[in-house]
Amino acid sequence: MDSVTFFFSLSLLFFGLYWFLCLLGSAEQTGKNAAQLSGGSISAEKVQDKYRQYWSFFHSPKQIETIDKVPAFVDTFYNLVTDIYEWGWGQSFHFSPSIPGKSHRDATRLHEEFAVDLLKVKPGDRVLDAGCGVGGPMRSIASHSGANVVGITINEYQVNRARSHNKKAGLDKLCEVVCGNFLQMPFDDNSFDGAYSIEATCHAPRLEDVYAEIYRVLKPGSLYVSYEWVTTDLYKSEDPTHVEIIQGIERGDALPGLRSYYDIAKIAKKVGFQVLREKDLAKPPSRPWWSRLKMGRIAYWRNHILVTVLAWLGIAPKGVVDVHEMLYHTANYLTKGGETGIFTPMHMILCKKPESTTGHES
């Protein structure tokens, strides 16, 4: 082999390694590549222990041991999964109906814009994002509406990621991110012109607690919209297959327990909201939201080998391999939930805080 051929082969090898380790990932991802996978705020040497601790939160296959442990449970989960979500999914950690001729990214954006359109806010209004993650929806909504969006997330690593993304997008003047628990928000009463939560309140141990907090900070006459994770009318608690699917979703997504669609409006009314509209946005003619999860075993093993190599090289924490495998199994349960129709992540409820708030409906 002459020197030119050797140099060319060596360059090709290095380029291949660089592509495999640093560039390979979903077309949806922006801001993260495989070589940047971490455990969030958890130090690299403790990621595997924290992953084991995550599973220890479960007293039984379905239940968290005690309600007071839920915030730490959710915080640990998002430290473990945030980088993997961004790498393979993008900056919006939620589902949306598939739209013919539209990319997943465009479908996601339209799903977010639909939420804020329901709120009827105008430029300059102050809007709450309860459970904002790394801020993908916040940035779409701020750009679309011109409103000032204030997001809250319990996970400090996500706060830092969201602020970085906001600045890069040139939206840091419209988007503010606060680290805190949406069950005890550091905001004044009657201080927001609208509020939304996109697949976030499922992490609350009691839905009435987070709804009551959102009710408190909304101005009278303002609207709140939420996309809820729920079991549908097709779910049968006596069916072992149904139970296994729902428990698999709960365990793999840091949920203290999925609620029935039947309970959502009742809870909203209980804290004082007027319910204006309720609809499962996943039902036909909407196209399957779970199509995005059908990555196939070849793609999964490609990514899993990549994560394993990165962990072996010391580039990624060892526990990331376990987290990636957990998310793969969770995706299977989510897909089964969608295909059987027993689960939806898009049960939409639109509520209004009455102009007069002297009494609540019980």
Side-chain angles (χ1 to χ4, degrees), residues 53-67 69-70 73 247 251 255-256:
Q53 184 189 52
Y54 171 80
W55 286 101
S56 75
F57 279 108
F58 288 97
H59 179 63
S60 71
K62 183 177 180 181
Q63 297 173 326
I64 305 303
E65 189 174 351
T66 57
I67 285 178
K69 290 187 177 181
V70 171
F73 169 70
Q247 289 183 356
R251 290 194 302 268
L255 307 182

Side-chain angles (χ1 to χ4, degrees), residues 154-203:
I154 200 168
N155 184 259
E156 186 176 1
Y157 183 71
Q158 289 190 336
V159 170
N160 294 330
R161 292 294 300 162
R163 287 173 177 168
S164 174
H165 289 313
N166 291 345
K167 189 171 183 180
K168 287 179 183 177
L171 291 167
D172 47 321
K173 289 187 171 138
L174 283 179
C175 299
E176 178 187 349
V177 191
V178 174
C179 188
N181 187 340
F182 59 20
L183 301 177
Q184 298 173 311
M185 292 189 285
F187 307 127
D188 293 336
D189 294 356
N190 309 317
S191 57
F192 286 93
D193 300 293
Y196 65 88
S197 50
I198 298 179
E199 302 182 28
T201 57
C202 51
H203 293 300

Side-chain angles (χ1 to χ4, degrees), residues 259-301:
R259 301 170 183 95
S260 167
Y261 79 99
Y262 179 74
D263 296 325
I264 306 304
K266 289 197 299 183
I267 292 171
K269 292 175 183 177
K270 182 179 178 181
V271 305
F273 279 120
Q274 297 171 349
V275 176
L276 305 182
R277 187 176 173 190
E278 193 176 15
K279 182 181 180 181
D280 181 1
L281 299 179
K283 285 187 174 180
S286 293
R287 293 181 173 245
W289 54 267
W290 60 91
S291 62
R292 216 175 150 187
L293 294 169
K294 289 192 168 184
M295 56 187 288
R297 289 200 170 270
I298 293 177
Y300 163 71
W301 283 113

